[in-house]
Amino acid sequence: MPARPLAFVNTRLVDPASGYDGPGAVLVADGVVAEVAKGSGLGALSPDVEVVDAAGAALLPGLVDIRVKTGEPGAEPKETLKSAGLAAARGGVTSIVVQPDTHPVADDPAVVDFILRRARGIQLVHVYAAGAATKGTEGERMAEIGLMREAGCVYVTDADRPIANSKVFQRVLSYAKAFGVPVAHRPADPWLSKGAAATTGEFAARLGLPGVPAIAEKIMLERDLALAEATGASLIVDQITTAAALESFRRARDKGLPVVATTSINHLSFNEIDIGDYRTFCKLDPPLRHEDDRQAVIEAVAAGLIPIVVSAHAPAPAEDKRLPYDEAVPGAVGLETLLPALLAFHHEGRIALVDLIRAVTTAPAELLGLPAGRIVQGGPADLVLCDLDAPIVIDADKLVSKSKNSPFDGRRLQGKVLRTLVEGRTVYAV
Amino acid sequence: MSAAPTGLNEVLGRTFPFPKRHFLSVLDLNEVEVAGLLDLADGFVSLNRQTSKKLDLLKGRTLMNLFFENSTRTQSSFELAGKRLGADVVNMSPRSSSISKGETLIDTAVTLNAMQPDLLVVRHASSGAASLLSQKVTCSVINAGDGQHEHPTQALLDALSMRRAFGYLAGLKVAICGDVLHSRVARSNVGMLQMLGAHVRLVGPPTLMPAQADRWGVEVFHHMREGIAGCDVVMMLRLQLERMDGVMAPSQREYFRYYGLDREKLARAAPHVRVMHPGPMNRGVEIDSDVADDLSVSLIQDQVEMGVAARMAVLAALAARLEEA
């Protein structure tokens, strides 16, 4: 569809790649950013340009979320690529990386190819695929990392399942390195984590919930960092959520290891007390932590030690959540709430806006080499127009995601997405 | 029923409409409510010892026992309590019946709720299950044990047994010993005894102690001789045998040596010490028969008797609320 050129004027332009946060305007034509005006206005516009007066609303690069689960293939009632795409568009997320733990598991090039082809047919947001690191994500035999890379996978991971066997993980790291494929790994000691529904501590003990000690994260992370150092592979630490693990990670970064960490918006926004009277929407993997841990993780994001924030979007239908706490499935949807939840730290004055936005745009895009996450002339016109100050109340029932398991249900936030563009196409508008 | 049981009117005078719809956790209760329930239960103890035990406080009411976990003792205690108060009692064991096949807890609850029970007594292996159920049904829910969380009627009957034995609760030194980690009995007792002013100690190996238990306002001991020294009450907890074979403790004999209650260890407690156990006991593992069966020391038989009375008190108070509604 050859859309008319589009000019966003009178915006607060936020472009983390250049560190710019100030007044600006952007001209979009033929799916790309044709002109960026920082501070000044655009030049003379031809009469066929559709002009959008943003009235001071923020114009951001479309968000890049590198940890998203859908139910496709295999569990479509939970979420399809299309429903996830709609949710992403509504949340201002224009690129997603889907996780390989589907049915069947994306552990060979055919499944990766299937997902990417399905997504292309939907034409909503950009969909990238992560492949499994081991066959069936069982942690025993390496998956076809090279062939999956050729099919388009951007990194490999066993998603929620840690690879317990150190020899297997060492091989995955060194093999993936040769093919230039980053490896993401969840740091969690599987034996300490077994059967756990919450983080060990006073609160879980009072509720009588089986717990995993917070150090389970540090224990596995220490191993992963040692193996990353030994192999020189590019390791993505899939969600640091505890202060203890941050210590280890900081040491590795100080040594200059090529390791990058993410954390989830949930662990930035909630602590274990939010579980309250067994609220299963707050049952997550990793489980919610102590408040000291949450504060440490926020500080790490503010300081850039954790450069990437993910939604950890994990749809689960009511029948998997409306169960006694230890039987309920962990996980929360997050695509539609990622941006407003993140903006809370801007409104609190805790983290500068441009740094917050970098963690969900430029940083993840650069890590994986995706053509996204910046507003630059000639770059793809993946953009979000957002009223940063508009108050909203999250209503889980009104999410467009097929599953409604949001711990943000009922939460009051600020930040309303007004319009989302993917390669110049409007995929969402209020 | 010929003559009305003696003292009936006095007991009836003690019933009061319970201010809450459900009985889920000791943390939902306050001191006044607990004192009221204990006084009422005390009255039922005397009535239960008479020939004619049947009352009509719950006449026309339906009590449903929903036990997802087997428990002969608690289930019959509730059944008897309901019947003595004149309720119609139905026992459901979803594990052995067809209603559980592929059904979630909530489906089961909704199904049973449609049968219009007034009181639903629930036991389930998952913490928080009773609370979840209470959000989905219209009747009163009584928690008869949810996972490792709470067993509030047990705490009530334990308090009743102690109050009858000592005449008071405030200031009593109570040691709760054994597998505290997995024990809902311990959690409910800690909450209730603290509310009533008793001093609580938790005694057990570190592997069976909840994380940060010292922050519950109790004293934590890992050596039993120290832990029970000078205590008025020693409450033993049941330890599942499969947890003892090198899992949470190295072996049965090692566990008994360091954490089993025998005469020698008991001698460290106060001279008038009383021993309690929620049952069923593993004799020779956590408690020596010699101690368990000594009626001058053991309150274990009393606990069973008090169980029926305490549950009658809870049912009567909840039903009185239904009358008012």
Side-chain angles (χ1 to χ4, degrees):
Chain A
M1 176 180 70
R4 287 169 65 193
L6 198 56
F8 291 95
V9 300
N10 201 10
T11 75
R12 174 176 179 177
L13 186 65
V14 181
D15 179 37
S18 58
Y20 184 79
D21 177 5
V26 168
L27 179 66
V28 173
D30 301 323
V32 299
V33 173
E35 191 183 339
V36 184
K38 290 173 180 167
S40 58
L42 293 163
L45 295 170
S46 75
D48 68 326
V49 173
E50 178 192 339
V51 177
V52 177
D53 183 350
L59 190 67
L60 321 169
L63 272 51
V64 178
D65 187 350
I66 66 167
R67 197 185 206 282
V68 173
K69 291 192 191 193
T70 78
E72 192 167 350
E76 286 80 1
K78 278 203 288 197
E79 191 89 289
T80 58
L81 287 165
K82 181 166 185 190
S83 66
L86 290 167
R90 192 161 177 249
V93 179
T94 56
S95 299
I96 61 175
V97 180
V98 296
Q99 297 296 291
D101 52 347
T102 46
H103 304 284
V105 171
D107 60 0
D108 68 25
V111 183
V112 171
D113 184 59
F114 169 82
I115 292 169
L116 296 179
R117 269 189 297 118
R118 286 282 297 160
R120 273 196 297 275
I122 294 164
Q123 289 270 311
L124 277 164
V125 300
H126 300 289
V127 176
Y128 300 92
T134 66
K135 290 193 170 77
T137 67
E138 280 168 0
E140 282 161 18
R141 291 170 302 138
M142 252 192 288
E144 294 170 322
I145 295 172
L147 291 175
M148 288 192 293
R149 163 110 259 183
E150 272 193 62
C153 107
V154 292
Y155 68 86
V156 293
T157 177
D158 276 358
D160 301 341
R161 296 176 73 177
I163 299 172
N165 187 324
S166 303
K167 191 168 230 171
V168 172
F169 192 54
Q170 182 189 28
R171 286 173 180 156
V172 167
L173 284 172
S174 50
Y175 190 86
K177 187 197 174 203
F179 285 83
V181 181
V183 178
H185 189 249
R186 159 66 57 80
D189 181 291
W191 292 280
L192 283 171
S193 309
K194 198 176 171 201
T199 303
T200 303
E202 186 188 359
F203 185 72
R206 279 183 192 276
L207 288 184
L209 291 177
V212 52
I215 49 156
E217 187 169 283
K218 182 192 176 82
I219 290 170
M220 186 57 104
L221 178 60
E222 288 279 3
R223 182 206 74 170
D224 291 357
L225 294 170
L227 287 175
E229 183 172 17
T231 57
S234 158
L235 173 69
I236 303 170
V237 182
D238 178 21
Q239 300 176 63
I240 291 189
T241 60
T242 62
L246 273 172
E247 258 177 44
S248 308
F249 185 71
R250 181 177 290 115
R251 247 185 290 119
R253 290 290 304 170
D254 289 347
K255 274 172 102 173
L257 296 189
V259 293
V260 173
T262 70
T263 194
S264 91
I265 188 64
N266 300 316
H267 293 86
L268 290 171
S269 308
F270 302 101
N271 67 25
E272 59 186 353
I273 309 292
D274 287 295
I275 293 169
D277 187 18
Y278 305 98
R279 278 186 76 208
T280 55
F281 281 5
C282 287
K283 182 172 179 183
L284 305 172
D285 180 17
L288 287 173
R289 306 299 193 184
H290 195 272
E291 176 64 7
D292 293 346
D293 290 315
R294 186 180 81 98
Q295 292 298 334
V297 173
I298 294 171
E299 283 309 313
V301 171
L305 181 63
I306 296 180
I308 296 170
V309 176
V310 297
S311 73
H313 185 80
E319 61 268 28
D320 291 345
K321 280 290 188 185
R322 286 173 55 195
L323 291 170
Y325 199 84
D326 57 3
E327 295 172 23
V329 164
V333 290
L335 282 167
E336 290 166 76
T337 46
L338 173 61
L339 182 55
L342 201 59
L343 286 173
F345 300 101
H346 155 66
H347 292 297
E348 285 170 16
R350 192 93 192 255
I351 304 177
L353 181 64
V354 70
D355 293 335
L356 271 179
I357 300 304
R358 181 180 294 116
V360 286
T361 56
T362 323
E366 282 179 353
L367 172 69
L368 300 177
L370 309 180
R374 56 182 63 213
I375 301 178
V376 60
Q377 193 171 342
D382 296 351
L383 300 167
V384 193
L385 188 65
C386 174
D387 181 343
L388 299 176
D389 299 320
I392 55 170
V393 181
I394 305 296
D395 180 350
D397 288 337
K398 293 198 176 131
L399 297 175
V400 299
S401 192
K402 276 193 160 186
S403 295
K404 315 294 182 191
N405 53 309
S406 172
F408 289 96
D409 188 27
R411 209 172 239 224
R412 286 155 203 280
L413 296 169
Q414 277 176 278
K416 189 178 169 69
V417 172
L418 303 174
R419 189 163 176 171
T420 306
L421 270 68
V422 174
E423 290 183 1
R425 283 175 293 120
T426 298
V427 292
Y428 172 78
V430 282
Chain B
M1 274 192 282
S2 46
T6 43
L8 174 61
N9 287 333
E10 200 208 324
V11 175
L12 293 184
R14 293 180 192 172
T15 59
F16 64 100
F18 198 65
K20 297 176 185 79
R21 195 169 98 197
H22 307 295
F23 194 81
L24 300 176
S25 160
V26 297
L27 301 182
D28 296 340
L29 306 173
N30 63 36
E31 228 182 303
V32 177
E33 289 157 11
V34 172
L37 288 170
L38 290 176
D39 290 346
L40 183 55
D42 238 343
F44 286 129
V45 175
S46 347
L47 289 178
N48 283 338
R49 288 178 178 170
Q50 297 175 23
T51 319
S52 173
K53 301 175 173 66
K54 192 107 172 168
L55 303 175
D56 59 2
L57 287 175
L58 260 62
K59 192 162 182 233
R61 299 282 179 198
T62 306
L63 169 75
M64 212 176 255
N65 271 328
L66 182 58
F67 277 59
F68 292 88
E69 264 186 347
N70 291 331
S71 162
T72 316
R73 162 185 312 243
T74 308
Q75 181 167 335
S76 37
S77 182
F78 270 107
E79 183 174 357
L80 217 47
K83 285 182 170 164
R84 286 191 181 160
L85 291 170
D88 296 315
V89 181
V90 185
N91 290 320
M92 300 287 221
S93 307
R95 217 159 273 276
S96 58
S97 72
S98 61
I99 56 169
S100 71
K101 284 179 186 155
E103 249 187 13
T104 66
L105 175 64
I106 289 178
D107 289 335
T108 306
V110 169
T111 305
L112 296 179
N113 194 48
M115 298 178 192
Q116 304 291 336
D118 301 288
L119 300 150
L120 191 59
V121 177
V122 183
R123 169 166 291 189
H124 195 281
S126 293
S127 301
S131 163
L132 177 66
L133 252 176
S134 73
Q135 296 160 26
K136 309 290 172 187
V137 298
T138 49
C139 57
S140 288
V141 174
I142 297 149
N143 182 5
D146 62 328
Q148 299 167 12
H149 180 223
E150 283 232 34
H151 191 358
T153 59
Q154 177 74 39
L156 191 68
L157 77 88
D158 287 340
L160 182 63
S161 309
M162 285 182 248
R163 198 176 77 164
R164 288 174 66 97
F166 291 92
Y168 59 93
L169 288 165
L172 273 187
K173 279 190 191 170
V174 183
I176 301 177
C177 309
D179 182 2
V180 180
L181 178 63
H182 299 98
S183 176
R184 52 193 173 217
V185 174
R187 281 173 183 72
S188 286
N189 261 302
V190 168
M192 181 162 295
L193 288 169
Q194 283 185 332
M195 187 196 321
L196 300 172
H199 301 296
V200 182
R201 297 174 173 192
L202 299 178
V203 183
T207 45
L208 292 172
M209 201 54 73
Q212 299 181 312
D214 51 320
R215 288 167 67 162
W216 294 5
V218 297
E219 282 183 273
V220 176
F221 294 86
H222 298 309
H223 296 286
M224 196 159 177
R225 286 180 183 81
E226 280 168 41
I228 66 176
C231 280
D232 304 301
V233 176
V234 176
M235 184 184 290
M236 300 304 297
L237 299 172
R238 179 180 167 75
L239 175 59
Q240 288 181 14
L241 297 180
E242 63 270 21
R243 291 192 177 131
M244 232 173 298
D245 188 19
V247 184
M248 313 299 265
S251 66
Q252 284 192 27
R253 64 180 186 184
E254 177 155 339
Y255 187 80
F256 184 72
R257 172 136 165 99
Y258 296 110
Y259 298 100
L261 187 64
D262 53 20
R263 289 278 177 198
E264 186 262 318
K265 293 193 195 81
L266 193 59
R268 303 293 189 109
H272 54 264
V273 66
R274 293 306 187 94
V275 173
M276 302 176 73
H277 193 297
M281 283 181 282
N282 292 314
R283 287 168 183 270
V285 176
E286 68 234 2
I287 190 163
D288 197 347
S289 287
D290 178 37
V291 173
D293 299 335
D294 179 351
L295 293 182
S296 68
V297 172
S298 169
L299 286 179
I300 298 171
Q301 288 306 312
D302 293 42
Q303 283 175 279
V304 180
E305 185 187 357
M306 296 310 133
V308 178
R311 284 163 185 136
M312 286 171 78
V314 171
L315 295 177
L318 286 170
R321 181 187 179 279
L322 293 174
E323 298 296 336
E324 298 222 325

